[in-house]
Amino acid sequence: MVTFLGATINGLVLGMAYALIAVGYSLVFGILRLINFAHGSIYVFGAYMVYLFVSLQVGLFPSILLAILLAGLLALLVDKITLEPLRKKNSMLISDLITTVGVSFIIQNVLSVEKVFGSERKVFPSLNLFSNITIGHITIQSSQIIMFVVALLLLLVLTFIVNKTKIGLSMRATEQNSRAAKLMGINVNFVISFTFFLGGASAAIAGALICGYYQVISPTMGSLIGLKAFAAAVVGGIGILHGSVVGGLVVGVCECLAAQYLGSNVRDPMAFVILIIILIIKPNGLFGKKGITKV
Amino acid sequence: MAMKKNTNRLLSSFESFCYKYRYIFAVIYVLLCVSIPFLGLNRVQTRLLMMIALYAMLGMGLNVLTGYTGLVSLGHAGFYGIGAYVCALLQVNAGWSFWPALLAAGVFTAFIGLLLGLPSLRLSGSYLSIVTLGFCEIVQMILKQWESVTNGNYGVRNIPTPHFFGIPLTAKNGGLLLLIVVLATLTALGCLALKNSNTGRVFFAIKDDELASTMMGINTSRYKIVSFVISAFITGAAGGFYSLVNGYIEPTNFVFNTSILILSVVIVGGLGTIRGMVFGAALLQLFPEVSRGLYEWRFVVYGLLLVLMMRFRPQGALGWRSTQPYHLSKQAKQILAQPETKKGGAA
């Protein structure tokens, strides 16, 4: 029972962080119908920026803030430089997909060049800011509590931005029908850039939180976690914020329980097993709206 | 504009030239293939050529699905892995010889393709890609976890050398290279026949406009599954060959990045073409070799290559539309030749 509870708590905490990454996929997919494979590498970039600024003695919180800003800007630049020209040319979705794969190659491999950061693992500053909490036989690390609370707060902020602000309204309008949104005077390109910025920023925060918990970073860590977060976004219903949260939690908990009871090899693919089951039962995810085919 | 016209004219004359002398080219090609064992290639060159031919074949496999039918798969490494494991395990554990094992690998993978094709009836566009992505990860898990059969993380080792009428086919005597070149050529011929067949035309119709194809009375679900099955068969057979390249296979040979590499071959070469697969495979396999001088930067440049390619030539390097007259099937010609009144009955 204790191991079960422990695994569940681990899963919930990890799930919250997945949700933060998943939101980035979800926002972009909602507007562009594009799986942004560069997102995982932006998460890595964010984590590395935190590492860089902390090692430059900037202090933990300012470093995280700087990292958020830089990762957001990088995501925005990726869109401006590589994806916007493709949109203007009305190119096929698959070209966009390959472009994001190429971008993720570039970011990951620039990070692992010896003179930049190097490909070996590095120790990341711990986020254990206060003492651990023990309830009965279960110990919860303080970094886990921070991860959960910060992720929850950020997701609430994101929900607020999307649902209550003017830019959020434009985002939703663009998602529903970008041409009509354009006719209503919405600057669609700005909205898309803003979406990429939000996604990049939340990925950087997730990077700081997750790496602060595991205390290790490497340039290649982003691809798997990115795919899993993406699976989480799809499980919840991609394009829907609370869907990402539920998806993230489901994936996180299932993963930790599977690792506990079925063996560590099962851990990583668990997200995809859930994904396929959910997609076969509900093709648009748990909270997904039924898509309408436009003729 | 004028330049475009010029390019088109050049392409057109180039195509007619190739078409006119196609038998001569075929003879030269066959002679070249037969002389492979006597060319005196060294180990590195042989391996490189093998990988190019292998990826050209994998590209053609994915091309049937993505280039013809327009279903984007991000999980072809899953099929590739299944083919490799079935072929290897049948030889190592069950003592089969290579040829039936290769066939079994293709058939079994095709069966898995059928199973994976079923959700394609319910899912569309990106969601289907996502399912294939998940499929690849699950195959990976099964390969790692089912230790009693697949030997888990250690992979399958000591895969025997195949024999062709008593002659061992190894990398050293060029036999393996010849084998994969023959397999790839057969695949290319098969793809060409498919492209010009009724089924192939239906695939292209589904890609261009699924709704319109349904309106024309085409059972699109059935053809999508057929496309999955053909694609999986080719990929599985290619996997069967891959088990011979190193003599061992392990689960990490068939990860998400492999799927992306196969997809890149298809996209960079030219979606829907066969020449493009060969070119794409050659480009993407040669690039890491040629650019060794760039050291750590080479995968940065590789990424840049993909991005620039999509930006300036999204149809792929060799992805031009054929300027040759449309190739009608015999049946279609017959129907067209018949008088107006009989057309309905013959169709």
mmCIF file with all atom_site columns, all heavy atoms in Angstrom, chain A residues 196-218:
data_model
loop_
_atom_site.group_PDB
_atom_site.id
_atom_site.type_symbol
_atom_site.label_atom_id
_atom_site.label_alt_id
_atom_site.label_comp_id
_atom_site.label_asym_id
_atom_site.label_entity_id
_atom_site.label_seq_id
_atom_site.pdbx_PDB_ins_code
_atom_site.Cartn_x
_atom_site.Cartn_y
_atom_site.Cartn_z
_atom_site.occupancy
_atom_site.B_iso_or_equiv
_atom_site.pdbx_formal_charge
_atom_site.auth_seq_id
_atom_site.auth_comp_id
_atom_site.auth_asym_id
_atom_site.auth_atom_id
_atom_site.pdbx_PDB_model_num
ATOM 1   N N   . PHE A 1 196 ? 3.546  30.398 -29.602 1.00 0.00 ? 196 PHE A N   1
ATOM 2   C CA  . PHE A 1 196 ? 4.846  29.729 -29.518 1.00 0.00 ? 196 PHE A CA  1
ATOM 3   C C   . PHE A 1 196 ? 5.613  30.218 -28.292 1.00 0.00 ? 196 PHE A C   1
ATOM 4   O O   . PHE A 1 196 ? 6.251  29.426 -27.600 1.00 0.00 ? 196 PHE A O   1
ATOM 5   C CB  . PHE A 1 196 ? 5.660  29.983 -30.794 1.00 0.00 ? 196 PHE A CB  1
ATOM 6   C CG  . PHE A 1 196 ? 5.442  28.947 -31.842 1.00 0.00 ? 196 PHE A CG  1
ATOM 7   C CD1 . PHE A 1 196 ? 4.457  29.088 -32.791 1.00 0.00 ? 196 PHE A CD1 1
ATOM 8   C CD2 . PHE A 1 196 ? 6.224  27.800 -31.857 1.00 0.00 ? 196 PHE A CD2 1
ATOM 9   C CE1 . PHE A 1 196 ? 4.239  28.120 -33.752 1.00 0.00 ? 196 PHE A CE1 1
ATOM 10  C CE2 . PHE A 1 196 ? 6.010  26.825 -32.822 1.00 0.00 ? 196 PHE A CE2 1
ATOM 11  C CZ  . PHE A 1 196 ? 5.019  26.991 -33.761 1.00 0.00 ? 196 PHE A CZ  1
ATOM 12  N N   . PHE A 1 197 ? 5.531  31.518 -28.023 1.00 0.00 ? 197 PHE A N   1
ATOM 13  C CA  . PHE A 1 197 ? 6.233  32.063 -26.858 1.00 0.00 ? 197 PHE A CA  1
ATOM 14  C C   . PHE A 1 197 ? 5.716  31.419 -25.580 1.00 0.00 ? 197 PHE A C   1
ATOM 15  O O   . PHE A 1 197 ? 6.499  30.964 -24.744 1.00 0.00 ? 197 PHE A O   1
ATOM 16  C CB  . PHE A 1 197 ? 6.063  33.581 -26.803 1.00 0.00 ? 197 PHE A CB  1
ATOM 17  C CG  . PHE A 1 197 ? 6.799  34.209 -25.657 1.00 0.00 ? 197 PHE A CG  1
ATOM 18  C CD1 . PHE A 1 197 ? 8.138  34.526 -25.783 1.00 0.00 ? 197 PHE A CD1 1
ATOM 19  C CD2 . PHE A 1 197 ? 6.160  34.459 -24.455 1.00 0.00 ? 197 PHE A CD2 1
ATOM 20  C CE1 . PHE A 1 197 ? 8.832  35.081 -24.731 1.00 0.00 ? 197 PHE A CE1 1
ATOM 21  C CE2 . PHE A 1 197 ? 6.850  35.004 -23.400 1.00 0.00 ? 197 PHE A CE2 1
ATOM 22  C CZ  . PHE A 1 197 ? 8.191  35.320 -23.536 1.00 0.00 ? 197 PHE A CZ  1
ATOM 23  N N   . LEU A 1 198 ? 4.389  31.362 -25.456 1.00 0.00 ? 198 LEU A N   1
ATOM 24  C CA  . LEU A 1 198 ? 3.801  30.757 -24.253 1.00 0.00 ? 198 LEU A CA  1
ATOM 25  C C   . LEU A 1 198 ? 4.270  29.310 -24.105 1.00 0.00 ? 198 LEU A C   1
ATOM 26  O O   . LEU A 1 198 ? 4.671  28.883 -23.015 1.00 0.00 ? 198 LEU A O   1
ATOM 27  C CB  . LEU A 1 198 ? 2.281  30.755 -24.354 1.00 0.00 ? 198 LEU A CB  1
ATOM 28  C CG  . LEU A 1 198 ? 1.513  31.964 -23.843 1.00 0.00 ? 198 LEU A CG  1
ATOM 29  C CD1 . LEU A 1 198 ? 0.031  31.645 -23.852 1.00 0.00 ? 198 LEU A CD1 1
ATOM 30  C CD2 . LEU A 1 198 ? 1.952  32.324 -22.439 1.00 0.00 ? 198 LEU A CD2 1
ATOM 31  N N   . GLY A 1 199 ? 4.220  28.565 -25.215 1.00 0.00 ? 199 GLY A N   1
ATOM 32  C CA  . GLY A 1 199 ? 4.630  27.156 -25.170 1.00 0.00 ? 199 GLY A CA  1
ATOM 33  C C   . GLY A 1 199 ? 6.079  27.029 -24.754 1.00 0.00 ? 199 GLY A C   1
ATOM 34  O O   . GLY A 1 199 ? 6.415  26.221 -23.878 1.00 0.00 ? 199 GLY A O   1
ATOM 35  N N   . GLY A 1 200 ? 6.949  27.850 -25.363 1.00 0.00 ? 200 GLY A N   1
ATOM 36  C CA  . GLY A 1 200 ? 8.381  27.793 -25.034 1.00 0.00 ? 200 GLY A CA  1
ATOM 37  C C   . GLY A 1 200 ? 8.625  28.126 -23.581 1.00 0.00 ? 200 GLY A C   1
ATOM 38  O O   . GLY A 1 200 ? 9.381  27.440 -22.886 1.00 0.00 ? 200 GLY A O   1
ATOM 39  N N   . ALA A 1 201 ? 7.943  29.177 -23.095 1.00 0.00 ? 201 ALA A N   1
ATOM 40  C CA  . ALA A 1 201 ? 8.134  29.590 -21.709 1.00 0.00 ? 201 ALA A CA  1
ATOM 41  C C   . ALA A 1 201 ? 7.709  28.483 -20.755 1.00 0.00 ? 201 ALA A C   1
ATOM 42  O O   . ALA A 1 201 ? 8.430  28.150 -19.805 1.00 0.00 ? 201 ALA A O   1
ATOM 43  C CB  . ALA A 1 201 ? 7.348  30.864 -21.444 1.00 0.00 ? 201 ALA A CB  1
ATOM 44  N N   . SER A 1 202 ? 6.541  27.872 -21.023 1.00 0.00 ? 202 SER A N   1
ATOM 45  C CA  . SER A 1 202 ? 6.088  26.835 -20.082 1.00 0.00 ? 202 SER A CA  1
ATOM 46  C C   . SER A 1 202 ? 6.993  25.608 -20.172 1.00 0.00 ? 202 SER A C   1
ATOM 47  O O   . SER A 1 202 ? 7.224  24.938 -19.155 1.00 0.00 ? 202 SER A O   1
ATOM 48  C CB  . SER A 1 202 ? 4.626  26.467 -20.324 1.00 0.00 ? 202 SER A CB  1
ATOM 49  O OG  . SER A 1 202 ? 4.392  26.220 -21.672 1.00 0.00 ? 202 SER A OG  1
ATOM 50  N N   . ALA A 1 203 ? 7.560  25.353 -21.372 1.00 0.00 ? 203 ALA A N   1
ATOM 51  C CA  . ALA A 1 203 ? 8.492  24.229 -21.474 1.00 0.00 ? 203 ALA A CA  1
ATOM 52  C C   . ALA A 1 203 ? 9.739  24.510 -20.637 1.00 0.00 ? 203 ALA A C   1
ATOM 53  O O   . ALA A 1 203 ? 10.268 23.608 -19.971 1.00 0.00 ? 203 ALA A O   1
ATOM 54  C CB  . ALA A 1 203 ? 8.890  23.997 -22.924 1.00 0.00 ? 203 ALA A CB  1
ATOM 55  N N   . ALA A 1 204 ? 10.216 25.762 -20.649 1.00 0.00 ? 204 ALA A N   1
ATOM 56  C CA  . ALA A 1 204 ? 11.398 26.098 -19.865 1.00 0.00 ? 204 ALA A CA  1
ATOM 57  C C   . ALA A 1 204 ? 11.133 25.912 -18.378 1.00 0.00 ? 204 ALA A C   1
ATOM 58  O O   . ALA A 1 204 ? 11.969 25.377 -17.640 1.00 0.00 ? 204 ALA A O   1
ATOM 59  C CB  . ALA A 1 204 ? 11.826 27.535 -20.141 1.00 0.00 ? 204 ALA A CB  1
ATOM 60  N N   . ILE A 1 205 ? 9.943  26.321 -17.930 1.00 0.00 ? 205 ILE A N   1
ATOM 61  C CA  . ILE A 1 205 ? 9.613  26.140 -16.513 1.00 0.00 ? 205 ILE A CA  1
ATOM 62  C C   . ILE A 1 205 ? 9.586  24.654 -16.182 1.00 0.00 ? 205 ILE A C   1
ATOM 63  O O   . ILE A 1 205 ? 10.141 24.214 -15.169 1.00 0.00 ? 205 ILE A O   1
ATOM 64  C CB  . ILE A 1 205 ? 8.246  26.778 -16.196 1.00 0.00 ? 205 ILE A CB  1
ATOM 65  C CG1 . ILE A 1 205 ? 8.310  28.269 -16.500 1.00 0.00 ? 205 ILE A CG1 1
ATOM 66  C CG2 . ILE A 1 205 ? 7.879  26.558 -14.747 1.00 0.00 ? 205 ILE A CG2 1
ATOM 67  C CD1 . ILE A 1 205 ? 6.972  28.937 -16.514 1.00 0.00 ? 205 ILE A CD1 1
ATOM 68  N N   . ALA A 1 206 ? 8.947  23.884 -17.067 1.00 0.00 ? 206 ALA A N   1
ATOM 69  C CA  . ALA A 1 206 ? 8.906  22.434 -16.841 1.00 0.00 ? 206 ALA A CA  1
ATOM 70  C C   . ALA A 1 206 ? 10.328 21.887 -16.776 1.00 0.00 ? 206 ALA A C   1
ATOM 71  O O   . ALA A 1 206 ? 10.640 21.028 -15.940 1.00 0.00 ? 206 ALA A O   1
ATOM 72  C CB  . ALA A 1 206 ? 8.129  21.750 -17.952 1.00 0.00 ? 206 ALA A CB  1
ATOM 73  N N   . GLY A 1 207 ? 11.208 22.400 -17.663 1.00 0.00 ? 207 GLY A N   1
ATOM 74  C CA  . GLY A 1 207 ? 12.600 21.951 -17.657 1.00 0.00 ? 207 GLY A CA  1
ATOM 75  C C   . GLY A 1 207 ? 13.255 22.218 -16.326 1.00 0.00 ? 207 GLY A C   1
ATOM 76  O O   . GLY A 1 207 ? 13.890 21.332 -15.731 1.00 0.00 ? 207 GLY A O   1
ATOM 77  N N   . ALA A 1 208 ? 13.092 23.442 -15.817 1.00 0.00 ? 208 ALA A N   1
ATOM 78  C CA  . ALA A 1 208 ? 13.700 23.797 -14.526 1.00 0.00 ? 208 ALA A CA  1
ATOM 79  C C   . ALA A 1 208 ? 13.158 22.890 -13.426 1.00 0.00 ? 208 ALA A C   1
ATOM 80  O O   . ALA A 1 208 ? 13.915 22.382 -12.590 1.00 0.00 ? 208 ALA A O   1
ATOM 81  C CB  . ALA A 1 208 ? 13.414 25.257 -14.203 1.00 0.00 ? 208 ALA A CB  1
ATOM 82  N N   . LEU A 1 209 ? 11.831 22.647 -13.439 1.00 0.00 ? 209 LEU A N   1
ATOM 83  C CA  . LEU A 1 209 ? 11.222 21.864 -12.354 1.00 0.00 ? 209 LEU A CA  1
ATOM 84  C C   . LEU A 1 209 ? 11.660 20.403 -12.411 1.00 0.00 ? 209 LEU A C   1
ATOM 85  O O   . LEU A 1 209 ? 12.084 19.828 -11.404 1.00 0.00 ? 209 LEU A O   1
ATOM 86  C CB  . LEU A 1 209 ? 9.694  21.942 -12.458 1.00 0.00 ? 209 LEU A CB  1
ATOM 87  C CG  . LEU A 1 209 ? 9.067  23.308 -12.187 1.00 0.00 ? 209 LEU A CG  1
ATOM 88  C CD1 . LEU A 1 209 ? 7.589  23.277 -12.506 1.00 0.00 ? 209 LEU A CD1 1
ATOM 89  C CD2 . LEU A 1 209 ? 9.292  23.699 -10.742 1.00 0.00 ? 209 LEU A CD2 1
ATOM 90  N N   . ILE A 1 210 ? 11.559 19.802 -13.605 1.00 0.00 ? 210 ILE A N   1
ATOM 91  C CA  . ILE A 1 210 ? 11.872 18.371 -13.705 1.00 0.00 ? 210 ILE A CA  1
ATOM 92  C C   . ILE A 1 210 ? 13.357 18.138 -13.440 1.00 0.00 ? 210 ILE A C   1
ATOM 93  O O   . ILE A 1 210 ? 13.740 17.220 -12.702 1.00 0.00 ? 210 ILE A O   1
ATOM 94  C CB  . ILE A 1 210 ? 11.472 17.827 -15.098 1.00 0.00 ? 210 ILE A CB  1
ATOM 95  C CG1 . ILE A 1 210 ? 9.959  17.900 -15.252 1.00 0.00 ? 210 ILE A CG1 1
ATOM 96  C CG2 . ILE A 1 210 ? 11.947 16.388 -15.279 1.00 0.00 ? 210 ILE A CG2 1
ATOM 97  C CD1 . ILE A 1 210 ? 9.448  17.431 -16.579 1.00 0.00 ? 210 ILE A CD1 1
ATOM 98  N N   . CYS A 1 211 ? 14.220 18.986 -14.024 1.00 0.00 ? 211 CYS A N   1
ATOM 99  C CA  . CYS A 1 211 ? 15.651 18.782 -13.825 1.00 0.00 ? 211 CYS A CA  1
ATOM 100 C C   . CYS A 1 211 ? 16.058 19.119 -12.398 1.00 0.00 ? 211 CYS A C   1
ATOM 101 O O   . CYS A 1 211 ? 17.003 18.547 -11.870 1.00 0.00 ? 211 CYS A O   1
ATOM 102 C CB  . CYS A 1 211 ? 16.439 19.612 -14.821 1.00 0.00 ? 211 CYS A CB  1
ATOM 103 S SG  . CYS A 1 211 ? 16.082 19.123 -16.495 1.00 0.00 ? 211 CYS A SG  1
ATOM 104 N N   . GLY A 1 212 ? 15.326 20.063 -11.762 1.00 0.00 ? 212 GLY A N   1
ATOM 105 C CA  . GLY A 1 212 ? 15.611 20.352 -10.368 1.00 0.00 ? 212 GLY A CA  1
ATOM 106 C C   . GLY A 1 212 ? 15.297 19.162 -9.478  1.00 0.00 ? 212 GLY A C   1
ATOM 107 O O   . GLY A 1 212 ? 15.883 18.970 -8.420  1.00 0.00 ? 212 GLY A O   1
ATOM 108 N N   . TYR A 1 213 ? 14.365 18.333 -9.939  1.00 0.00 ? 213 TYR A N   1
ATOM 109 C CA  . TYR A 1 213 ? 13.997 17.134 -9.186  1.00 0.00 ? 213 TYR A CA  1
ATOM 110 C C   . TYR A 1 213 ? 15.008 16.010 -9.427  1.00 0.00 ? 213 TYR A C   1
ATOM 111 O O   . TYR A 1 213 ? 15.538 15.408 -8.497  1.00 0.00 ? 213 TYR A O   1
ATOM 112 C CB  . TYR A 1 213 ? 12.582 16.727 -9.562  1.00 0.00 ? 213 TYR A CB  1
ATOM 113 C CG  . TYR A 1 213 ? 12.142 15.379 -9.042  1.00 0.00 ? 213 TYR A CG  1
ATOM 114 C CD1 . TYR A 1 213 ? 12.228 15.074 -7.688  1.00 0.00 ? 213 TYR A CD1 1
ATOM 115 C CD2 . TYR A 1 213 ? 11.620 14.436 -9.909  1.00 0.00 ? 213 TYR A CD2 1
ATOM 116 C CE1 . TYR A 1 213 ? 11.826 13.849 -7.211  1.00 0.00 ? 213 TYR A CE1 1
ATOM 117 C CE2 . TYR A 1 213 ? 11.204 13.206 -9.446  1.00 0.00 ? 213 TYR A CE2 1
ATOM 118 C CZ  . TYR A 1 213 ? 11.311 12.911 -8.098  1.00 0.00 ? 213 TYR A CZ  1
ATOM 119 O OH  . TYR A 1 213 ? 10.904 11.695 -7.636  1.00 0.00 ? 213 TYR A OH  1
ATOM 120 N N   . TYR A 1 214 ? 15.341 15.748 -10.705 1.00 0.00 ? 214 TYR A N   1
ATOM 121 C CA  . TYR A 1 214 ? 16.279 14.661 -11.008 1.00 0.00 ? 214 TYR A CA  1
ATOM 122 C C   . TYR A 1 214 ? 17.731 15.101 -10.820 1.00 0.00 ? 214 TYR A C   1
ATOM 123 O O   . TYR A 1 214 ? 18.625 14.269 -10.739 1.00 0.00 ? 214 TYR A O   1
ATOM 124 C CB  . TYR A 1 214 ? 16.090 14.177 -12.449 1.00 0.00 ? 214 TYR A CB  1
ATOM 125 C CG  . TYR A 1 214 ? 14.831 13.367 -12.652 1.00 0.00 ? 214 TYR A CG  1
ATOM 126 C CD1 . TYR A 1 214 ? 13.850 13.779 -13.539 1.00 0.00 ? 214 TYR A CD1 1
ATOM 127 C CD2 . TYR A 1 214 ? 14.632 12.180 -11.945 1.00 0.00 ? 214 TYR A CD2 1
ATOM 128 C CE1 . TYR A 1 214 ? 12.706 13.041 -13.718 1.00 0.00 ? 214 TYR A CE1 1
ATOM 129 C CE2 . TYR A 1 214 ? 13.487 11.438 -12.122 1.00 0.00 ? 214 TYR A CE2 1
ATOM 130 C CZ  . TYR A 1 214 ? 12.519 11.872 -13.014 1.00 0.00 ? 214 TYR A CZ  1
ATOM 131 O OH  . TYR A 1 214 ? 11.385 11.133 -13.191 1.00 0.00 ? 214 TYR A OH  1
ATOM 132 N N   . GLN A 1 215 ? 17.979 16.397 -10.859 1.00 0.00 ? 215 GLN A N   1
ATOM 133 C CA  . GLN A 1 215 ? 19.308 16.988 -10.671 1.00 0.00 ? 215 GLN A CA  1
ATOM 134 C C   . GLN A 1 215 ? 20.332 16.549 -11.697 1.00 0.00 ? 215 GLN A C   1
ATOM 135 O O   . GLN A 1 215 ? 21.514 16.426 -11.397 1.00 0.00 ? 215 GLN A O   1
ATOM 136 C CB  . GLN A 1 215 ? 19.821 16.715 -9.251  1.00 0.00 ? 215 GLN A CB  1
ATOM 137 C CG  . GLN A 1 215 ? 18.949 17.393 -8.221  1.00 0.00 ? 215 GLN A CG  1
ATOM 138 C CD  . GLN A 1 215 ? 19.345 17.055 -6.816  1.00 0.00 ? 215 GLN A CD  1
ATOM 139 O OE1 . GLN A 1 215 ? 20.469 16.663 -6.580  1.00 0.00 ? 215 GLN A OE1 1
ATOM 140 N NE2 . GLN A 1 215 ? 18.427 17.207 -5.891  1.00 0.00 ? 215 GLN A NE2 1
ATOM 141 N N   . VAL A 1 216 ? 19.883 16.274 -12.905 1.00 0.00 ? 216 VAL A N   1
ATOM 142 C CA  . VAL A 1 216 ? 20.823 15.915 -13.960 1.00 0.00 ? 216 VAL A CA  1
ATOM 143 C C   . VAL A 1 216 ? 20.247 16.392 -15.302 1.00 0.00 ? 216 VAL A C   1
ATOM 144 O O   . VAL A 1 216 ? 19.033 16.397 -15.490 1.00 0.00 ? 216 VAL A O   1
ATOM 145 C CB  . VAL A 1 216 ? 21.094 14.387 -13.950 1.00 0.00 ? 216 VAL A CB  1
ATOM 146 C CG1 . VAL A 1 216 ? 19.843 13.615 -14.268 1.00 0.00 ? 216 VAL A CG1 1
ATOM 147 C CG2 . VAL A 1 216 ? 22.196 14.026 -14.902 1.00 0.00 ? 216 VAL A CG2 1
ATOM 148 N N   . ILE A 1 217 ? 21.122 16.886 -16.187 1.00 0.00 ? 217 ILE A N   1
ATOM 149 C CA  . ILE A 1 217 ? 20.657 17.257 -17.525 1.00 0.00 ? 217 ILE A CA  1
ATOM 150 C C   . ILE A 1 217 ? 21.586 16.695 -18.590 1.00 0.00 ? 217 ILE A C   1
ATOM 151 O O   . ILE A 1 217 ? 22.778 16.529 -18.364 1.00 0.00 ? 217 ILE A O   1
ATOM 152 C CB  . ILE A 1 217 ? 20.548 18.792 -17.750 1.00 0.00 ? 217 ILE A CB  1
ATOM 153 C CG1 . ILE A 1 217 ? 21.787 19.501 -17.223 1.00 0.00 ? 217 ILE A CG1 1
ATOM 154 C CG2 . ILE A 1 217 ? 19.299 19.356 -17.174 1.00 0.00 ? 217 ILE A CG2 1
ATOM 155 C CD1 . ILE A 1 217 ? 21.826 20.973 -17.555 1.00 0.00 ? 217 ILE A CD1 1
ATOM 156 N N   . SER A 1 218 ? 21.019 16.398 -19.756 1.00 0.00 ? 218 SER A N   1
ATOM 157 C CA  . SER A 1 218 ? 21.822 16.009 -20.910 1.00 0.00 ? 218 SER A CA  1
ATOM 158 C C   . SER A 1 218 ? 21.096 16.505 -22.152 1.00 0.00 ? 218 SER A C   1
ATOM 159 O O   . SER A 1 218 ? 19.878 16.674 -22.123 1.00 0.00 ? 218 SER A O   1
ATOM 160 C CB  . SER A 1 218 ? 22.014 14.493 -20.954 1.00 0.00 ? 218 SER A CB  1
ATOM 161 O OG  . SER A 1 218 ? 20.802 13.887 -21.287 1.00 0.00 ? 218 SER A OG  1
#
